[in-house]
Amino acid sequence: MSAPGPARARAPAPPAPIDPAARPALPRGVRVRWDAVRQGWVLLAPERALRLDRIGVAILERADGARSFADIVADLAAAYDAPPERIAADAGRFLSALAARRMIELRP
């Protein structure tokens, strides 16, 4: 009898696309703040902190619960002179990952 082979890890399923009408917003208790110790922006949640790059900050600055995902994508595409479909894909992955960690809400 042979020994079992190494277990294969399954790749995580790609996140579902974000509805263009969804309105991303930070839930209660979650904030974007400048961290003087880390000398950078962080997303703070109860017992969690996530260091943000400038693109993450740009996305979250627009996630005010009033603007739709489509509005955020259009604004970022104009600000960075980038194709909206690329912005939608990248911002969608970022926000979906945060939603899975309950660090952003995608309101209808």
Side-chain angles (χ1 to χ4, degrees):
M1 183 177 225
S2 64
R8 293 186 184 226
R10 287 189 179 173
I18 294 179
D19 180 350
R23 294 176 297 117
L26 296 176
R28 183 177 169 197
V30 178
R31 304 280 182 263
V32 175
R33 296 283 186 253
W34 175 259
D35 185 331
V37 173
R38 293 181 180 95
Q39 289 296 299
W41 291 97
V42 293
L43 181 62
L44 299 174
E47 300 184 26
R48 293 176 282 174
L50 178 67
R51 189 171 188 161
L52 298 170
D53 63 13
R54 64 184 178 88
I55 301 299
V57 172
I59 294 167
L60 293 176
E61 283 176 337
R62 291 161 173 84
D64 57 11
R67 293 182 240 197
S68 70
F69 180 64
D71 293 338
I72 293 170
V73 167
D75 190 38
L76 289 169
Y80 290 96
D81 192 27
E85 41 298 327
R86 173 79 188 263
I87 297 287
D90 292 347
R93 278 192 300 275
F94 176 70
L95 291 173
S96 292
L98 291 180
R101 296 170 85 179
R102 291 189 225 153
M103 296 177 87
I104 194 100
E105 293 176 346
L106 298 172
R107 299 175 181 165

